[in-house]
């Protein structure tokens, strides 16, 4: 299917590029760096992990994910038994029933999706993943063809991958650490770009699934969300970098603690065995983490080979030459490595952003645009591999194409917005 072809293309292209550089350009050590290279090795000129080291990284990611998955899925189990998920579903049901017509209004998947979108909006990656996996499992219960992505699963994952986010805290923190004069200057551009990407994903999937977006309920919710976003943007724009990080920390982490206490109190009120419910849910989190190891491993290895083979460098240099030949402003090309690798690996994209800031300075146009790219999208292929892999979906249909189009819309918007804000 789509992911299989893309993954195969990554592997083949990376090896062919490496072979050409090895046999025709004299880079005889490249094969060794691709397989056994370590980023921490001073003798490694690439400063990138090879395939073997990447395998260890993939397992380490999953091991760290086990604890987080067990924690949040344990609390989700309590909420389900106490009826909290159904209560949340009834609140959001009128809107979600229009864009997810195949999902019953009171189905637990509604509540799980709300929790995932809320965590994404607040930048809580650790919480968003367990909620999202739980949502996919709930939607899989309604899926008549267990190995083919359903309409509801595609709509959910495309909206999730668009990465609508309130405050790019990690980007602001990195810019502050790099001594940028105004670390928060990427905040509004990131907000606008993620909002545009989410709308594009919603429109594309709705057209494919024949969902009418001009229904009064949908319009009211979209206008309401837009108004709330504008209000938050206006408030946060009045804060300095330290205040933004403080506000984000209080808001996001405070809401997690609020959710925890409400779930526990709800379980006590409903007189359920709270701890047993938590243990049952946590056990499912452990099983899920183990199940997704092969999918994470496969994606990270393909990305590693593309990077170590120099394929990304060739693409960037080719694009810079092309835009220069057209007489266009090429300043944005220096930030493109972050945008190109972002759909593949969040960590690698973060490294690209730091590299751009180090090379061109934290206050350069390329560095600011790189920060917008980093804070304005999700890791598309990683999301597809993990979320579909967790429920055994093999045929992803048009989901990858839709996510990449949303990513492209985000990249174009980011470039335009950055020229507007930073020049």
């Amino acid at each position: 299917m789509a992911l299989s072809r893309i993954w195969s293309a990554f592997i083949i292209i990376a090896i062919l590029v490496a072979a050409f550089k090895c046999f025709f350009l004299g880079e005889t050590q490249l094969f060794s760096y691709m397989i056994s290279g370590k980023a921490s090795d001073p003798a490694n000129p690439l400063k990138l992990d090879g395939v073997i080291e990447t395998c260890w990284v993939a397992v380490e990611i999953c091991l760290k994910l086990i604890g987080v998955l067990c924690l949040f899925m344990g609390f989700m189990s309590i909420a389900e038994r106490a009826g909290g998920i159904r209560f949340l579903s009834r609140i959001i049901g009128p809107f979600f029933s229009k864009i997810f017509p195949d999902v019953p209004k009171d189905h637990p998947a509604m509540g799980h999706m709300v929790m995932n979108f809320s965590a994404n909006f607040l930048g809580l990656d650790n919480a968003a993943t367990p909620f999202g996996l739980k949502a996919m499992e709930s939607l899989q219960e309604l899926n008549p063809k267990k190995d083919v992505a359903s309409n509801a699963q595609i709509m959910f994952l495309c909206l999730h991958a668009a990465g609508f986010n309130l405050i790019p805290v990690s980007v602001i923190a990195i810019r502050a650490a790099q001594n940028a004069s105004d670390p928060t200057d990427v905040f509004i551009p990131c907000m606008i770009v993620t909002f545009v990407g989410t709308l594009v994903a919603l429109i594309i999937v709705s057209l494919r699934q024949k969902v009418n977006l001009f229904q009064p309920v949908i319009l009211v919710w979209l206008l309401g969300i837009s108004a709330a976003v504008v209000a938050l943007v206006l408030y946060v724009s009045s804060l300095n970098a330290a205040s933004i990080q403080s506000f984000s920390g209080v808001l996001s982490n405070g809401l997690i603690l609020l959710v925890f206490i409400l779930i526990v109190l709800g379980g006590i009120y409903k007189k359920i065995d709270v701890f047993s419910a938590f243990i049952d849910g946590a056990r499912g989190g452990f099983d899920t983490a183990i199940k997704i190891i092969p999918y994470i491993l496969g994606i990270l290895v393909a990305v590693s080979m593309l990077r170590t083979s120099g394929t990304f460098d060739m693409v960037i240099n080719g694009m810079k030459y092309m835009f220069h030949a057209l007489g266009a402003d090429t300043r944005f090309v220096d930030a493109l490595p972050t945008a190109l690798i972002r759909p593949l690996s969040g960590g690698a994209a973060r490294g690209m952003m730091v590299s751009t800031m180090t090379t061109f300075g934290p206050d350069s146009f390329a560095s600011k645009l790189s920060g917008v790219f980093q804070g304005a999208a999700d890791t598309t292929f990683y999301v597809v591999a993990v979320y579909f892999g967790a429920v055994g979906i093999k045929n992803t249909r048009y989901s990858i194409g839709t996510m990449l189009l949303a990513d492209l819309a985000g990249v174009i918007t980011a470039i335009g917005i950055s020229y507007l804000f930073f020049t």
Side-chain angles (χ1 to χ4, degrees):
M1 272 53 80
L3 183 59
S4 176
R5 296 188 186 99
I6 292 170
W7 186 84
S8 299
F10 286 169
I11 300 294
I12 294 170
I13 291 172
I15 293 176
L16 290 178
V17 169
F20 176 82
K21 295 173 75 173
C22 178
F23 297 118
F24 294 95
L25 300 183
E27 299 183 23
T28 55
Q29 296 296 313
L30 186 56
F31 287 169
S32 297
Y33 294 138
M34 287 182 66
I35 298 299
S36 57
K38 295 182 180 181
S40 58
D41 184 1
N44 181 359
L46 301 179
K47 302 303 177 186
L48 298 169
D49 287 329
V51 169
I52 302 300
E53 195 69 18
T54 299
C55 292
W56 283 105
V57 171
V59 174
E60 287 175 2
I61 290 174
C62 291
L63 287 175
K64 293 177 181 178
L65 191 59
I66 288 176
V68 178
L69 283 172
C70 289
L71 173 66
F72 282 98
M73 294 183 78
F75 275 100
M76 289 288 283
S77 177
I78 299 172
E80 280 188 282
R81 293 191 189 183
I85 299 298
R86 278 189 164 77
F87 174 75
L88 195 59
S89 301
R90 286 197 295 270
I91 295 176
I92 200 73
F95 172 62
F96 269 22
S97 64
K98 300 300 182 183
I99 62 174
F100 295 99
D102 299 332
V103 181
K105 292 183 179 180
D106 60 345
H107 196 274
M110 293 289 192
H112 296 151
M113 288 189 289
V114 172
M115 298 292 284
N116 172 263
F117 291 142
S118 299
N120 256 343
F121 182 67
L122 295 170
L124 307 175
D125 295 337
N126 288 338
T129 300
F131 293 148
L133 290 172
K134 193 65 177 177
M136 285 295 285
E137 290 176 0
S138 298
L139 292 172
Q140 184 71 348
E141 296 174 2
L142 303 171
N143 188 1
K145 298 180 179 179
K146 300 302 182 183
D147 61 341
V148 180
S150 67
N151 284 350
Q153 288 174 321
I154 293 174
M155 175 67 84
F156 164 67
L157 209 55
C158 288
L159 294 179
H160 167 84
F164 186 29
N165 185 265
L166 172 60
I167 305 174
V169 178
S170 62
V171 176
I172 292 174
I174 291 173
R175 286 183 55 75
Q178 293 288 324
N179 299 315
S181 60
D182 183 6
T184 64
D185 54 8
V186 299
F187 158 63
I188 294 180
C190 285
M191 171 69 78
I192 294 172
V193 173
T194 55
F195 192 53
V196 169
T198 302
L199 285 178
V200 168
L202 177 62
I203 291 170
I204 294 175
V205 178
S206 296
L207 289 174
R208 294 296 300 265
Q209 299 183 3
K210 295 180 172 58
V211 175
N212 180 14
L213 293 179
F214 294 98
Q215 300 175 73
V217 173
I218 294 179
L219 291 177
V220 168
W221 272 88
L222 289 179
L223 290 174
I225 293 172
S226 300
V229 168
V230 170
L232 284 169
V233 168
L234 292 175
Y235 172 70
V236 176
S237 297
S238 66
L239 305 177
N240 57 34
S243 297
I244 287 179
Q245 293 189 48
S246 176
F247 170 75
S248 175
V250 171
L251 179 64
S252 58
N253 295 310
L255 283 176
I256 286 183
L257 294 176
L258 177 62
V259 168
F260 283 176
I261 192 171
L262 288 177
I263 288 175
V264 172
L265 290 176
I268 294 173
Y269 176 76
K270 290 291 186 177
K271 298 180 180 179
I272 66 172
D273 189 339
V274 176
F275 189 66
S276 293
F278 176 85
I279 295 301
D280 290 341
R283 188 178 295 115
F286 179 84
D287 295 338
T288 300
I290 298 301
K291 188 186 301 182
I292 64 179
I293 289 179
Y295 298 92
I296 293 178
L297 175 65
I299 289 296
L300 291 184
V301 165
V303 172
S304 169
M305 294 180 69
L306 281 174
R307 295 183 68 201
T308 54
S309 67
T311 304
F312 274 116
D313 291 337
M314 294 174 61
V315 171
I316 292 300
N317 291 333
M319 293 182 68
K320 183 175 290 188
Y321 176 81
M322 179 184 69
F323 283 111
H324 181 75
L326 294 173
D329 187 323
T330 59
R331 286 180 296 168
F332 74 93
V333 180
D334 294 319
L336 281 181
T338 303
L340 291 178
I341 204 170
R342 180 65 175 157
L344 301 171
S345 169
R350 189 177 298 111
M352 289 290 188
M353 179 185 69
V354 173
S355 176
T356 301
M357 295 174 70
T358 302
T359 302
F360 299 98
D363 291 322
S364 65
F365 177 80
S367 295
K368 293 179 180 179
L369 177 56
S370 181
V372 176
F373 285 147
Q374 175 66 15
D378 208 333
T379 49
T380 295
F381 290 102
Y382 178 88
V383 165
V384 169
V386 171
Y387 282 74
F388 280 135
V391 293
I393 295 293
K394 297 180 180 179
N395 185 350
T396 61
R397 299 169 66 195
Y398 51 86
S399 57
I400 295 178
T402 300
M403 293 179 199
L404 291 178
L405 284 174
D407 288 341
L408 178 61
V411 168
I412 295 172
T413 303
I415 294 172
I417 288 292
S418 294
Y419 273 107
L420 179 65
F421 274 75
F422 305 135
T423 58

